[in-house]
Amino acid sequence: VLFDENVRFVLPLEPVAGPSERAGALARALARLDYAGQRTRSADAIERALYTLRVAARPGARQAIVLLTDGRID
C-alpha cells in the first residue's frame, strides 16, 4: 500500500505463480515507491492493509504489515 494524500495498492494481495514471478512483481512494486507525495495518511494505509488481510488473506497464512515512512507529518 503506497500512501501520501492518497492510499493505493502497488502490489495486490494475491497468489503469484512461482519464485521468479514473485521477485519480478515485488521489484516492480518497489520501483513505484517514493517519498515525493504530500500528506502522510499512514492511519488510512494501515486500515486498508488490515482490511485486506482480514478479507483476502490465505487461511492459515502468517500475516505482517511493514510500515515504511519518511517520518514527516504534514
Side-chain angles (χ1 to χ4, degrees), residues 15-53:
V16 179
S20 63
E21 290 85 2
R22 276 194 296 271
L26 182 58
R28 287 187 298 279
L30 290 174
R32 292 182 59 193
L33 299 179
D34 65 45
Y35 296 101
Q38 297 293 311
R39 313 270 187 273
T40 302
R41 296 183 60 186
S42 52
D44 293 340
I46 292 170
E47 181 180 25
R48 174 82 57 91
L50 285 170
Y51 176 79
T52 302
L53 287 175

Side-chain angles (χ1 to χ4, degrees), residues 1 8-16 25 29 32 52 56:
V1 179
R8 59 210 169 275
F9 279 99
V10 292
L11 186 63
L13 186 61
E14 61 187 32
V16 179
R32 292 182 59 193
T52 302

